[in-house]
Every structure is written in structure tokens, then in C-alpha cells.
Amino acid sequence: MPNKTVSPEAAAALIADGNIVTTSGFVGIGVPETLLKAVSTRFQKIGAPKDLTLFFAAGQGDGKEKGLNHFAHKEMLKRVVGGHWGLIPNVGKMAVDNVIEAYNLPQGVISQMYRDIAAGKPGTLSKVGLETFVDPRKDGGKLNKATQENLVRLMEIDGEEYLFYRAMPIDVALLRGTTADTAGNVTMENEALTIDNLSQAMAAKNSGGVVIVQVEQVVARGSLNPRDVEIPGALVDAVVLAEPGDHMQTFSTLYSPAFTGRYRLPSEDDEAIPLDARKVIARRAAFELPVNGIVNLGIGMPEGVAAVAREERLLDHLTLTAEPGVIGGQPASGLDFGAAVNTDAVIAQNQQFDFYDGGGLDIAVLGMAEVDGQGSVNVSRFGPRLAGAGGFINISQNAHKVVFAGTFTSVALDVAITDGALQIRSEGRVQKFVDAVEHTTFFGPRAGRLHQSVLFVTERCVFRLGPDGLSLVEVAPGIDIERDILTQMAFRPIVEDLSEMDARIFADGPMGLDVDLLALDLDTRIALGSDGKRFFINLEKLRIRDLADVTRIVRRVEEVCSPLDQKVDAIVNYDGTVIYPEAEEAYAKAVQTLEDRYYRTTTRYSASAFMRLKLGKLFASSKRSHIFESEQEAQTLLNRGGSS
């Protein structure tokens, strides 16, 4: 078998005019920089290859000149079909200027398309993208007027709508690994991710195309452990040794063994992040984290949630994930985004999106750039700025709960936290809460129809998405609702009952969130009185978010009451309690069962008229329930013998 090692120039010559080219990489991870530069150099010298179709899933670039920015030459590119455009501004400008045909499809769908192309399927069937800009009833993923051909089709199967993403043959795959033998077998031991390399290689090979892989080193045939081989040599046509400086582990890190999983970093406490608007948002979002749940954190503002979870000693009780295949550990940020340390596993990107699309995420915390009154969100396009959706559509449509996190306004926003209150020193010049989003990356009404739990967390307030749109539910201390919120929005949200954001969010030091979320204080919150007849349940400022929270309360009540030989009089404090809509039905049923088994009379109290109204509706069928404004009133009823 001949040695498959060739020069970068020889590899670039394998690409013909009009080819469909796919490339590996995620942000700055796994990008075949030497190959991309060689293709660019060849075009600049001889004008070939030209009229290429570039087909990629994740964004590959540094936001400047690296990665796919090397392909930003007029006539070199004819069409680009990509998942995320934000890191390739030079190519993005070509799309905005109508120089090329341009499509933005969901990153996860493109990742899965590689596998379907390899299997010879006509395309990929998915619900991902319905009612967003990808839906052919809107833009069909087209980004400019030069783009006319339809790549996405609406279909109905058994009465349900799907999107069909048409497959395309792949002529050339430009990939990256760590070590190759002379026969082309490739390992990835120093790579932070495996991404879609195997599926891309199979797709190109089964399309009759060419597979070219950039590596750090070449060894003799038979030197590699077959269990370490990620891309078999049978799929590889050429191997290229990377030029010096072109094979960094990420565009930010030369090499870290922790990113490969070879070593684990010590669990020493890092310095706490400063208390600013970013941390306030991350802290409030962290209140939604599910114990023992699976979490995805988006790039940018949501990254702070991982730091807060570490400060609050919650990381051991969560599984953080990232869309390119990271499971467990702590995700990296910036141009290291996609890598992680102390992971449990790193799987292929298309498999990760299979899990996400099937509902595997308990919660996703994602960014937001524009939000309208229906709860629709835009993160993909703003006038001449083309960011692209990336994995946002897959993740936001299919996670059980979504928290959109970001500042209330942007550009020159200046806030301060003083004495436990938020102060707006300079308002941002750009409103985020608008009449209508420019690009529909997330469609709020669809989420409402499907009863998806959706929150919008900012530094000054929190909104919840309901059947009728956005409701303002929490306000930061120090904020004037009319001046700082309502006049800074292009629409008026529903305002019924407001609570103040938890004071701990605006104070230095850990919040004790582990105690809250792990229910470590239920022993003191739920206890029997000294007389053995009165049963005190203190739910003050507790968030009852889901079935797991309901179950923990029920277990504690049963632990105290099941050994008793008589029923008790229950007094329940609901001051500041938040019962999330998605937990209301389960909570009401559980309480009814507890009343039937253990309670003689139940008195409930809350200073909030809205909460008393909600409790009245939740427990309307209970004949033993009384609802009061204060503890004194509740106690008085029991002192009279429990009669009303």
C-alpha cells in the first residue's frame, strides 16, 4: 500500500472547480488550518478551485482571519451552507453583500445529515426548525436574495409536520486528526473533540469523493492501536502534515492534556467571579438548575452559570454538556468553547444532537439578542451582522426547560450593585425587547402550545412565557418598574403579581444554593410542633419548580407524619413561595393526597393576594383548607378548634 502522505499543495490540487467541500471543526477546535490555507493559496495563485459549495455544521474560525475565513475570496465560493456564521465574518460579508448563495441550517441537522449522506439517504427528516426562519413557510434558511434554490421542504407524516433537509453529495472532506500511519489510519488522541470526522469521511467516500486529513505526525503502517483509530485508512485518500503553528488544540490553547481527558484537574476552588450584571444573571439562572439533571450552556452570557454552579458546590450534582459531544465536567469558554475539563465522556457531535433532539436535556441556558412579546427570540441575524443559529434551534426547541439569559439592554449599559440593590448608572443604547424580532431563531407561540417551560432572565427582571406571551414575574431590588423596565421595552408585558428577585443574588459571598436545590434544609422547614398535634411547613421563598421538588417535599412530610397515630393540624407558610406552572398540577395532587392521609385541618397563609388567589384555585376541592393573610390569622383558627 502506498504512503498516503502528501504535501499541502498536492492535497489542495485534489479539489476541482464546482466541488462540494465539507470541513471539520468547532470554533477553534479540530480545524484543519494548514489545508484551508493551502486551498486559499492555490486559488490566489491560479484562480482554482472556484465555484465551490462549502458545507459545514459548527462555526470554524476566530472571528478574524483563521478557519473558514481563508475561503472568503470572490469566485472561489459559489454557495455556503453552514450552521454558525458568527466566527467567519469575511464569508458572512459575502453573504450579506449577495456575492454568494448562502443558507443557515441548524447545526445539529447538518451534523446528522453527514450520517444520512453516508447511509445513502435522500435527506434528513426532523422537526427541528419548524416555525423558525428555517421553515420554508418563512425563509427556508436562505440568507439573501441571491439564494433561490429550496433545500428544505415541509412534510406531513401521520398528521404531524416535519422538515425534510435535502442531502447533497460531498466531493471533498477536509478533516483533522492527531496521528496517521502511512496507510491513512487516523487517531485523535490530542484533539479536544472528535466532532463529525468519521461521518464526514464516510459521507465523502460513499459520495465518490476525496478525504484529506491534516495530522501532527505520521508513523509506520501498523503502529496504531486499532481501538484508537477514529478514521480508518480505507476512507482516507491523503494525509497532510500540519505546518508549524497550524495545529493548535484550540485557537486559544496550544495544548492542554486536560482537554483530551488524559488528566483531571484538581478540584481546587477558583477565585469567585466579580459581582456584576453578568454574575447577577448567571446566579438567577442557576436557581433553575435541576438536581441530577442534564444541562446545556450556550456561549457568552450563559457560560457564567457554570462558574456560579462551581461557587455554589453544585457541579457534582449536575451533568453539564456542550453540543460538539462533551458530557460532564466543566466547559471551557471563549475560543476554547467546546472543550471541557474533567469530562465523563466525549462522543460524536451527531450523537449528542440525537440525544438533544429526543428531549434528553433537562434545561438549556442560552443567550438572547432580541425578544418580542410572543416570546420569540433572535440570535442569528441583526441587519448586516450575520451570526447564524448554530445549535441554538436544536437545543431551544427540544430542552424541557429553556432559560434565555442576557442583559436587558445592550451597548454602553452600565450597572452597579450597591447595598444589595441594582443601580442603572447608564442605560444601554439598544433595546432587546422589541415589537418583532428580525430573525425567528426561536418561536415563542410554538413553545407555548407545547407547554415548554421558558424563562427570560436579565440583570433587572425576569419574564415567564405563558399562553398569552411574556409576563413580568420578578424585579431586582432598586429597580423602578416603569422607568427601568416598561419604558425600555417596545411592548408591554403582562403584569399581574410581582415578586422581588432573591436578595442573595445581589450580595457578596455564596448564596447557599446547594441547600435550596438539594433540599438540605427540609428537616427544619417541615417539622412537628412540640405538642405533637400541629405540623409546621415553612415554604417561604422556596421554589417548587418540578416533580422532583414536589417529591422531596412529600417524602419529608411522610417521614414525619407516617409514624403518628393521629392526624395533625397543618400550618403552611407560602410567603414568597414560587410554584412554577409546570409543577402546579403535580403539587396540587400531592398535597391532596397528604391531606387525606395525615391532616385534620390545613391552614395556609401568604401576604401576597396573588398567591392566596392561586392557592384558592389549586386547593378548591379541599374541604379542610383555609387560606389567610398572616400566620397570626392561621394560628387563631386553630386555637378556636379549626372551625371557620
Side-chain angles (χ1 to χ4, degrees):
M1 182 176 290
N3 187 337
K4 293 184 177 180
T5 308
V6 302
S7 69
E9 294 75 19
L14 296 174
I15 304 175
D17 292 350
N19 275 176
I20 298 174
V21 180
T22 189
T23 57
S24 68
F26 183 94
V27 185
I29 299 170
V31 179
E33 187 75 358
T34 290
L35 293 178
L36 301 180
K37 289 165 70 173
V39 177
S40 173
T41 299
R42 177 175 170 81
F43 176 81
Q44 291 179 80
K45 285 183 177 179
I46 67 170
K50 64 182 179 180
D51 294 331
L52 299 178
T53 292
L54 178 60
F55 184 41
F56 65 93
Q60 302 157 32
D62 62 348
K64 299 175 183 176
E65 302 298 328
K66 291 185 176 181
L68 296 180
N69 290 292
H70 293 299
F71 278 20
H73 302 297
K74 188 176 181 180
E75 297 184 358
M76 179 178 173
L77 292 178
K78 177 183 179 181
R79 171 182 288 185
V80 176
V81 182
H84 188 269
W85 291 67
L87 296 167
I88 51 171
N90 299 339
V91 179
K93 187 176 187 305
M94 296 174 73
V96 172
D97 292 345
N98 276 297
V99 174
I100 57 173
E101 299 173 28
Y103 299 83
N104 182 200
L105 304 183
Q107 178 180 322
V109 171
I110 295 177
S111 179
Q112 294 158 345
M113 286 177 74
Y114 295 141
R115 190 177 56 202
D116 289 338
I117 293 167
K121 296 179 181 179
T124 300
L125 197 64
S126 177
K127 289 188 177 182
V128 172
L130 283 169
E131 300 183 83
T132 71
F133 74 89
V134 179
D135 193 311
R137 291 168 293 191
K138 296 190 177 179
D139 300 324
K142 301 170 187 173
L143 295 175
N144 60 22
K145 293 180 180 179
T147 307
Q148 296 297 318
E149 188 176 0
N150 295 320
L151 299 186
V152 186
R153 187 164 83 244
L154 180 69
M155 297 183 67
E156 185 175 302
I157 301 176
D158 294 336
E160 293 192 52
E161 291 183 340
Y162 291 84
L163 295 182
F164 179 75
Y165 295 85
R166 197 180 75 209
M168 61 183 74
I170 294 177
D171 299 309
V172 181
L174 302 178
L175 310 177
R176 185 177 121 161
T178 300
T179 304
D181 66 12
T182 55
N185 295 296
V186 178
T187 62
M188 301 182 70
E189 66 270 21
N190 289 345
E191 306 299 314
L193 299 167
T194 58
I195 328 177
D196 290 316
N197 282 274
L198 179 57
S199 293
Q200 288 173 287
M202 287 181 172
K205 180 58 65 175
N206 284 350
S207 298
V210 174
V211 178
I212 308 169
V213 186
Q214 171 183 316
V215 296
E216 288 184 35
Q217 58 183 342
V218 176
V219 298
R221 185 184 182 193
S223 300
L224 302 176
N225 184 333
R227 290 296 185 95
D228 294 334
V229 172
E230 293 284 348
I231 309 174
L235 305 178
V236 177
D237 296 286
V239 171
V240 172
L241 274 170
E243 298 289 346
D246 283 350
H247 210 92
M248 294 177 65
Q249 196 175 39
T250 78
F251 281 153
S252 180
T253 299
L254 181 62
Y255 174 73
S256 168
F259 285 164
T260 69
R262 187 166 299 158
Y263 302 111
R264 297 183 75 85
L265 296 182
S267 57
E268 298 176 358
D269 289 337
D270 295 331
E271 186 176 345
I273 58 177
L275 184 56
D276 55 11
R278 182 186 181 91
K279 185 169 186 176
V280 165
I281 294 167
R283 278 181 152 187
R284 176 58 188 87
F287 275 80
E288 306 301 317
L289 292 173
V291 176
N292 299 323
I294 299 176
V295 181
N296 174 277
L297 301 177
I299 195 168
M301 191 68 71
E303 295 172 18
V305 177
V308 169
R310 173 182 46 75
E311 288 181 20
E312 300 294 329
R313 296 175 295 191
L314 288 171
L315 283 182
D316 289 342
H317 305 284
L318 302 167
T319 299
L320 302 183
T321 68
E323 54 265 37
V326 169
I327 298 175
Q330 184 166 351
S333 60
L335 290 178
D336 286 335
F337 183 70
V341 300
N342 301 343
T343 58
D344 297 323
V346 178
I347 63 176
Q349 180 172 236
N350 53 64
Q351 293 173 319
Q352 186 83 300
F353 277 110
D354 285 344
F355 182 69
Y356 285 0
D357 290 355
L361 282 172
D362 293 295
I363 186 173
V365 184
L366 304 171
M368 58 182 185
E370 286 184 335
V371 182
D372 66 23
Q374 297 184 88
S376 295
V377 179
N378 173 25
V379 298
S380 46
R381 184 163 190 173
F382 325 96
R385 182 184 165 205
L386 179 58
F392 185 97
I393 298 177
N394 297 80
I395 296 165
S396 64
Q397 279 193 200
N398 296 302
H400 291 285
K401 174 181 283 188
V402 183
V403 176
F404 293 110
T407 55
F408 189 79
T409 60
S410 63
V411 185
L413 173 66
D414 183 17
V415 304
I417 295 96
T418 307
D419 297 328
L422 187 73
Q423 177 188 0
I424 311 296
R425 295 193 294 204
S426 175
E427 188 59 81
R429 294 197 297 269
V430 177
Q431 288 189 357
K432 288 189 175 182
F433 291 85
V434 297
D435 277 325
V437 295
E438 180 180 351
H439 225 213
T440 305
T441 333
F442 175 83
F443 190 55
R446 175 180 175 83
R449 290 198 311 270
L450 298 177
H451 306 289
Q452 187 179 25
S453 176
V454 182
L455 286 181
F456 298 82
V457 175
T458 77
E459 80 288 351
R460 70 187 73 176
C461 61
V462 178
F463 299 94
R464 180 181 295 279
L465 179 60
D468 299 318
L470 259 61
S471 293
L472 179 63
V473 293
E474 295 179 32
V475 176
I479 290 298
D480 181 279
I481 296 173
E482 187 67 33
R483 180 194 66 215
D484 299 325
I485 298 175
L486 299 181
T487 61
Q488 303 298 326
M489 305 174 67
F491 62 89
R492 192 172 185 88
I494 299 167
V495 182
E496 291 180 342
D497 183 69
L498 289 175
S499 60
E500 192 167 78
M501 293 172 70
D502 196 300
R504 293 172 293 174
I505 295 172
F506 304 91
D508 285 318
M511 298 185 295
L513 201 54
D514 56 336
V515 174
D516 284 5
L517 299 189
L518 300 175
L520 299 178
D521 63 343
L522 282 188
D523 287 357
T524 57
R525 282 181 175 269
I526 301 175
L528 192 64
S530 58
D531 61 0
K533 296 179 181 180
R534 292 191 180 180
F535 184 48
F536 296 92
I537 303 177
N538 178 16
L539 303 181
E540 182 177 3
K541 295 184 178 179
L542 191 68
R543 296 175 184 273
I544 303 172
R545 307 170 305 162
D546 50 31
L547 182 59
D549 290 340
V550 174
T551 300
R552 282 189 281 271
I553 293 170
V554 169
R555 285 175 180 168
R556 175 56 184 166
V557 171
E558 290 177 336
E559 180 183 334
V560 176
C561 294
S562 59
L564 302 178
D565 56 7
Q566 61 181 2
K567 289 189 174 183
V568 295
D569 294 320
I571 304 175
V572 191
N573 177 3
Y574 282 99
D575 271 341
T577 306
V578 180
I579 305 174
Y580 285 19
E582 54 267 30
E584 286 180 359
E585 183 177 354
Y587 183 70
K589 287 181 179 179
V591 170
Q592 185 64 59
T593 300
L594 294 175
E595 282 189 337
D596 292 342
R597 289 180 181 174
Y598 304 120
Y599 306 164
R600 185 175 71 91
T601 301
T602 308
T603 56
R604 302 177 171 93
Y605 65 92
S606 173
S608 167
F610 183 81
M611 175 56 75
R612 294 197 300 274
L613 181 63
K614 174 180 279 192
L615 295 175
K617 292 178 180 178
L618 281 178
F619 307 124
S621 61
S622 175
K623 296 179 181 179
R624 297 183 296 275
S625 177
H626 308 276
I627 303 171
F628 298 99
E629 187 174 350
S630 68
E631 180 180 9
Q632 183 178 0
E633 291 176 329
Q635 291 277 14
T636 299
L637 174 72
L638 294 182
N639 292 338
R640 293 203 309 261
S643 63
S644 56

